Amino acid sequence: MTTDSPTPDTGAELLPIATPARTRAALRTLIRPDRGLALTGLGILVGATVVGLLVQPLLGRIVDIVADGRPAGHLTLPVVLLVAVAVVQGLTTMLGLTRIARLGETVLARLRERFVERALNLPADRLERAGAGDLTARVTGDVARVAEAVRSALPEMARSVLAILLTLGALALLDVRFLLAALLAVPVQLLTARWYVRRALTLYADQRVANGAQQQQLLETIGGAVTVRGHRLEEQHAERSAGRSRKAVDLTMRSVNLVLGFYGRLHIAEYIGLAAVLIAGFWLVRDGAVSIGTATAAALYFHSLFGPVNAALVLLDDAQSAAAGLARLVGVTDLAEQPEAGKPEAGKPTAGKPEVGKPEAGKPEAGKAAPASVPRQRIASSEAAVTVHAVSHAYGPGRPVLHEVSLTLEPGEHVALVGTSGAGKSTLARIVAGVQQPTAGTVTSPGGEGSAPAGAGEHPVVLVTQEVHVFTGTLAEDLRLARPDATDADLHAALATVHALDWAEALPDGLGTVVGEGGHRLDPARAQQLALARLVLADPALAVLDEATAEAGSAGARVLERSAEAALDGRTALVVAHRLTQAVAADRVVVLEAGRVVESGPHDELRDADGPYAALWRAWSGSRTAAPHP
């Protein structure tokens, strides 16, 4: 179960935050595969702590030997035993903490993988409503908080709790009155912990939200810097950034004051407990109930609790911060597993639909619901390749984008989507590709339950957009994102298909050239050819191109159009046409206007019909010479 996260003054609908109960359940699920490692690590730490508890009695024994005036030789055995205890405790503690640390890193890696897998399958419109800052804050700040807690707080917390419990037991063995005296500090410590926890969880959650809002504002200001300067909005954006930064700083200072008050209360508890144990020791020694050495051991036992108790309570700071971050991460993983209100249910047959240019999300684990997607059914190759029936979509109340759109793509047919900006072309393309859920209606396409139609490759549906990312690594590794088992010959063939082999072989190390961030930079046209080559390697039954040639500019447009046509050869395709030359080359043109299909037919027929497409054609060709169909 998740709850909606607080919405800052950005107007964004932030991603949800999991409830404490759901967060604990998710944590148990993450740990379950490594129960043996957890039990072994805790068992070794228990042994190390028990061995360490021998130090205080041995020191008390030394005090008794000295107080009784015995010969110095009587000190040999306790001193040797102290050395042995130190060595054994050090080795076992190191081994136990190593196992606990390994458990933490394993669980953290599993959490990261699950978060990335789920985040990649979130509906695009849900991410747009939340804004990039919220997801960025979770994948950076929250993951870092949880990682820090796993690497430092978890091992120390495990050791501290064990030390507290076993030390209290050792006090009882010396004399139960020592334990009762020590427990006088507990009410103050419990009240301190309760006071802190009740304030910290909400404070740290608000702090994470404020950091997300701050990042969102910075992303919008920097990403839209040209527009901001063009409209002379520098001061307004600077003030917004400063305001959200001030809010984040205010919350940080509140957390600092909270921690200072927390420490002050802990010191009071320490003084109360130690004074009580010393007074109890004085009375017991005076009455002859215990020796001076035993009273000394009791005082040392309580003093040794300062470190573990303070560490355990202080680690509540890290624990609360990490819990707030974990709840935000679990909220994202749960959101990807649950259908949104009014959307088709998850768990129905889904099509494979990686976006070429982005890594394919991992498959859902056994027993887990598949990420929510458009309901799809496998179709035979003799039937229509794609059927869109009465599909509607809205990005929010009162913001309809598509209105009961119906569309059929026959096997092998190339259909061009055209229309003015905001007509709903990209939304329809994403719905057909399966990366966007419709508000209403159904989509039937290749690659649902069962195998894809005959001749389809590993991925039944592939989407290529104008926003292509070149991943850091060799060119060969970048290409193999689409087909990991592809040979070098397959890579060369794919590049040759999209007319990119010449420049690829001319790179300093050919397919072994490092591209992406920090490597050889590819211009937009070559990056898009790389994406089209990945499409060829994926070999889908259906390809969806969403303005895939838009980023190349006029100089590279003809080259990319040739590359795109070659990549689409022999497969069904839906193309959001950035240039009407793509519509000329298509088998059929579908015109969208205000989210509705207003025309459909071949280019020549629509051009001569004097309808919306004809108007678009005249406006477009008035200043250009349309490229002839190759």
Side-chain angles (χ1 to χ4, degrees):
M1 180 179 180
T2 58
T3 59
D4 290 336
S5 58
T7 302
D9 56 354
T10 61
E13 181 186 339
L14 299 185
L15 297 168
I17 298 174
T19 62
R22 174 64 194 123
T23 303
R24 290 192 294 270
L27 187 58
R28 287 194 295 270
T29 301
L30 290 169
I31 294 176
R32 189 172 296 123
D34 297 292
R35 289 191 301 267
L37 182 61
L39 293 175
T40 302
L42 288 175
I44 295 173
L45 283 180
V46 168
T49 305
V50 169
V51 171
L53 292 176
L54 297 175
V55 170
Q56 288 82 357
L58 288 172
L59 291 174
R61 179 64 176 167
I62 292 174
V63 170
D64 282 338
I65 291 172
V66 174
D68 294 342
R70 300 178 193 176
H74 288 193
L75 296 174
T76 303
L77 180 59
V79 170
V80 170
L81 290 176
L82 280 173
V83 174
V85 166
V87 173
V88 173
Q89 185 188 23
L91 291 175
T92 52
T93 299
M94 179 181 67
L95 182 59
L97 290 178
T98 298
R99 289 182 175 272
I100 295 296
R102 184 181 302 168
L103 169 68
E105 290 295 334
T106 302
V107 171
L108 178 61
R110 191 175 293 125
L111 172 65
R112 280 174 167 162
E113 291 170 1
R114 187 166 299 179
F115 178 83
V116 171
E117 174 190 334
R118 299 294 191 254
L120 288 174
N121 284 283
L122 285 176
D125 57 333
R126 186 65 184 88
L127 288 178
E128 289 170 359
R129 294 201 303 272
D134 187 30
L135 186 62
T136 301
R138 298 187 191 217
V139 80
T140 55
D142 292 321
V143 170
R145 289 278 183 171
V146 175
E148 182 181 353
V150 164
R151 288 169 181 152
S152 58
L154 177 63
E156 186 61 31
M157 177 69 83
R159 189 171 74 165
S160 297
V161 171
L162 288 173
I164 293 168
L165 296 176
L166 294 176
T167 301
L168 292 175
L171 276 171
L173 289 176
L174 292 178
D175 192 296
V176 71
R177 286 167 287 189
F178 285 127
L179 175 61
L180 295 176
L183 292 179
L184 290 177
V186 172
V188 179
Q189 291 168 335
L190 291 179
L191 289 173
T192 298
R194 182 184 179 190
W195 172 84
Y196 176 77
V197 170
R198 292 177 64 181
R199 289 163 176 77
L201 188 58
T202 302
L203 179 58
Y204 284 123
D206 291 345
Q207 196 174 4
R208 300 268 70 76
V209 172
N211 289 338
Q214 182 188 32
Q215 289 194 32
Q216 178 68 30
Q217 182 61 46
L218 291 174
L219 287 171
E220 290 177 352
T221 300
I222 295 172
V226 175
T227 303
V228 169
R229 288 195 297 268
H231 290 274
R232 302 294 187 220
L233 298 175
E234 295 93 339
E235 289 187 7
Q236 293 92 321
H237 276 259
E239 180 56 34
R240 288 178 190 172
S241 298
R244 287 170 187 162
S245 295
R246 282 193 297 270
K247 184 175 182 180
V249 170
D250 289 343
L251 288 170
T252 300
M253 293 308 300
R254 283 176 55 191
S255 68
V256 169
N257 292 330
L258 182 66
V259 170
L260 291 175
F262 179 64
Y263 276 113
R265 287 166 170 78
L266 287 184
H267 292 326
I268 294 173
E270 290 174 358
Y271 297 148
I272 292 173
L274 184 58
V277 170
L278 290 173
I279 292 172
F282 171 78
W283 287 106
L284 291 173
V285 170
R286 193 184 69 169
D287 294 343
V290 298
S291 67
I292 296 176
T294 301
T296 301
L300 291 174
Y301 269 137
F302 187 81
H303 188 272
S304 72
L305 284 175
F306 286 8
V309 169
N310 287 348
L313 293 177
V314 168
L315 285 175
L316 286 174
D317 180 66
D318 292 334
Q320 293 303 312
S321 181
L326 183 60
R328 284 160 57 82
L329 297 178
V330 173
V332 172
T333 63
D334 284 355
L335 178 64
E337 291 178 341
Q338 300 169 355
E340 295 189 65
K343 303 276 180 86
E345 293 184 3
K348 293 185 178 181
T350 59
K353 46 189 178 297
E355 182 172 345
V356 174
K358 296 185 178 180
E360 183 181 4
K363 296 180 180 178
E365 295 179 11
K368 297 291 183 183
S373 62
V374 182
R376 297 178 182 277
Q377 304 163 348
R378 181 186 180 274
I379 58 177
S381 59
S382 59
E383 298 177 353
V386 179
T387 300
V388 178
H389 178 66
V391 163
S392 297
H393 187 74
Y395 286 105
R399 296 174 56 196
V401 179
L402 297 175
H403 304 272
E404 297 187 349
V405 172
S406 294
L407 175 67
T408 299
L409 278 72
E410 300 297 335
E413 185 182 25
H414 291 185
V415 173
L417 275 180
V418 302
T420 58
S421 179
K425 304 185 298 298
S426 292
T427 300
L428 179 58
R430 290 194 305 226
I431 289 175
V432 171
V435 300
Q436 184 89 36
Q437 291 181 338
T439 305
T442 59
V443 176
T444 304
S445 68
E449 188 174 20
S451 59
E458 180 184 356
H459 304 305
V461 185
V462 164
L463 169 68
V464 181
T465 71
Q466 61 179 315
E467 298 173 354
V468 175
H469 182 73
V470 179
F471 294 89
T472 301
T474 66
L475 183 62
E477 290 170 342
D478 216 307
L479 288 165
R480 286 194 175 98
L481 289 172
R483 204 171 97 203
D485 61 348
T487 65
D488 284 352
D490 295 330
L491 304 185
H492 282 91
L495 289 168
T497 299
V498 298
H499 312 292
L501 184 58
D502 289 343
W503 65 256
E505 289 184 330
L507 293 175
D509 297 311
L511 294 181
T513 301
V514 175
V515 295
E517 191 69 28
H520 187 89
R521 302 300 295 269
L522 300 181
D523 61 41
R526 291 182 174 182
Q528 196 63 258
Q529 284 182 309
L530 178 60
L532 292 171
R534 286 197 290 255
L535 184 151
V536 172
L537 287 167
D539 193 21
L542 170 65
V544 179
L545 270 58
D546 184 5
E547 297 191 349
T549 64
E551 293 295 319
S554 300
R558 296 292 177 85
V559 173
L560 273 187
E561 286 175 10
R562 287 179 56 232
S563 298
E565 186 172 356
L568 298 179
D569 185 41
R571 63 182 99 252
T572 308
L574 179 66
V575 179
V576 177
H578 177 68
R579 294 174 176 81
L580 290 190
T581 49
Q582 295 171 293
V584 174
D587 299 314
R588 183 159 50 102
V589 178
V590 172
V591 183
L592 284 181
E593 193 171 279
R596 291 181 172 86
V597 175
V598 294
E599 278 189 310
S600 177
H603 161 75
D604 291 339
E605 178 181 314
L606 296 184
R607 182 194 57 194
D608 298 336
D610 200 25
Y613 180 77
L616 288 174
W617 177 260
R618 286 194 297 269
W620 184 82
S621 60
S623 58
R624 299 174 178 86
T625 301
H629 182 35

